Amino acid sequence: MHFNELNLSQELLRAVDELGYTEMTEIQQQSIPLLLEGRDVVGRSNTGTGKTAAFGIPAVESITEADRKSTVILILCPTRELAMQANEEIRKFAKFKEGVKSSAIYGGASMEKQIHELKRGANIVIGTPGRVMDHIRRRTLKLDNIRTVILDEADEMLNMGFREDIESILADVPEDRQTVLFSATMPKEIMAITEKYQTDPVHIKIKTAQKTVELIEQFYFEVAMGRKTDALKLLLAAYRPASAMVFCNTKVMVDQLTEELVKSGFRAAGLHGDMKQIQRTQVMNSFKNKAAEILVATDVAARGIDVSGVDAVFNYDLPQDNEYYIHRIGRTGRAGRTGTAYTLISGRKQLYDLRAIEKYTHAEIREMPLPGKSDIIAMKKESLTSEISEAQAGHNAYDILDRLAAQGIDYREAAARLIEKQLKSETDALPDLESARPLKKGRNSGAKTVKIVINVGRNRRIAPNFILGALVDATGMTGRDFGKIDIFDEHTTVEVPEAESEYIIDSTDSMKINGNKVEVKLYKGSDSDRFKSRRSGEKPRFDRKKKAYGNKKRAEIFSDYIPDRKKRMKKRH
Ligand code: ADP
Ligand code: MG
């Protein structure tokens, strides 16, 4: 269905036309007519399916001369980036229509500027819930005339803890308003909000998960424990995406990885929620205009961000949620283009999680071997050949060749030296492949060890097999990779290979033992140990080496731990 089959004003049709939209997407086809009628709507459809236009076009269309002075439409978005992005898009829809003023209000930016903008009269306000609440409290944003409230990415807003703010806003706007909600998922909390704040809503659900994913080729690489950074560098060097996103699960990882990539000569920039607004805007702009070729981001920071021409997505960490996987890889292959998604996994646990994702998305994720330096050199040879064959030479170049010839270096030799130099510069900094490929056998005998400390001990009736089972499960390493386990009253220490300690601490981030979430840290001796027992001079009760479970079969080691594992599996499916 074409946009001009809708009963839209000429101004809107012209704007849509200028944006190059012809056919409506499915969610647009189904929701725009209802929204124009003033109905309450709950819309579910994947990322990249044009939800902004689905609510933005009716919003702009509904503005009349009478709305000049007051805020009549309020749009809530989970992040500043999304608020800015929605605002930009709405301004495009409003390009030919007089009297539409939209304003984005979000945290981390000057309050005064926003107040000033609101004072001049914004009939459409797009904001993050926290900052919107701020403006309501200061009475710089008045809700009396609001006739439409739109919650964009409602599930994400709830995930981010905005529930109270959202409910408070919904309770304060006039009751006869239109309430519109877009969400990728429909957890109970969203249903509750729908029931409480919407009137006879129409539910629209577009099943495009498969379609979106179908256009994206998906691969995974098995990487040795703790070697994902090296592996990523090899992959980036091999595939040379002009524009790629790399996803990590933590802000710290985003910072570390960005720094590593920059050090290795990649034009990478990081994006996460702890950064100042100005920095975030700078990063987004440099990624959009391709000054930065790689954007390293957390899920929340990157949620819904719409940058065209992203040709690859890398999952450095596996996403914590299957739905996130779809969101992530949906950053590539947007608007019908094809794209590629690469996932790095270490250990059996992650392979198992990846299989669960594969089931969930109904798409094949194929294994690929990590490219080695020689593979990369072979690829570079090819790309250099075509680069050179397409390049133009100028008189400066011939000048140099003539000078070299005078020194006895002929053209062939000169060209060869230059090419070699170029090849070297592109491949010298690459890490060694062997360090990134997974070892087939995991025994770390003779390797240097350190201790990690876990904040449960006898007080929680912990036995060594609980600890070992949980560690094996969380890391995908084998029981034999772990050394001595000492259980104290309130904490436990475990000997681990030093080279893997960082990886182990990372991958036990959400580890549970006996149903209790635990904290795992590097053990720095008794003085700095936060979990230290108040009793002094306590002796460990279990010593892994003396006890027999070191020889137990894996199944026995797991036996205490299996119920929890089963529960988790059920939850997944
Ligand atoms: P979502 O909010 O569902 O993730 P967006 O609103 O960010 O999706 O839209 C994704 C991309 O698709 C944007 O670049 C947008 O400009 C484009 N788009 C939206 N609707 C259409 C359409 N009808 N035709 C072509 N492109 C569209
Ligand atoms: Mg969106």
Side-chain angles (χ1 to χ4, degrees), residues 321-350:
D321 183 305
N322 291 342
E323 190 70 35
Y324 275 162
Y325 180 83
I326 295 184
H327 279 291
R328 287 181 179 187
I329 72 170
R331 309 290 101 220
T332 183
R334 281 173 93 73
R337 276 187 299 271
T338 55
T340 319
Y342 304 101
T343 300
L344 302 182
I345 56 167
S346 285
R348 235 168 303 145
K349 165 80 166 59
Q350 291 185 7

Side-chain angles (χ1 to χ4, degrees), residues 45-53 55 77-78 82 85-86 89 152-153 182 303-306 331 334:
S45 130
N46 273 329
T47 179
T49 53
K51 292 188 286 286
T52 320
F55 61 75
C77 299
L82 285 175
Q85 198 171 285
E89 200 157 337
D152 188 21
E153 311 249 11
F182 282 97
R303 177 91 186 235
I305 280 174
D306 181 45
R331 309 290 101 220
R334 281 173 93 73

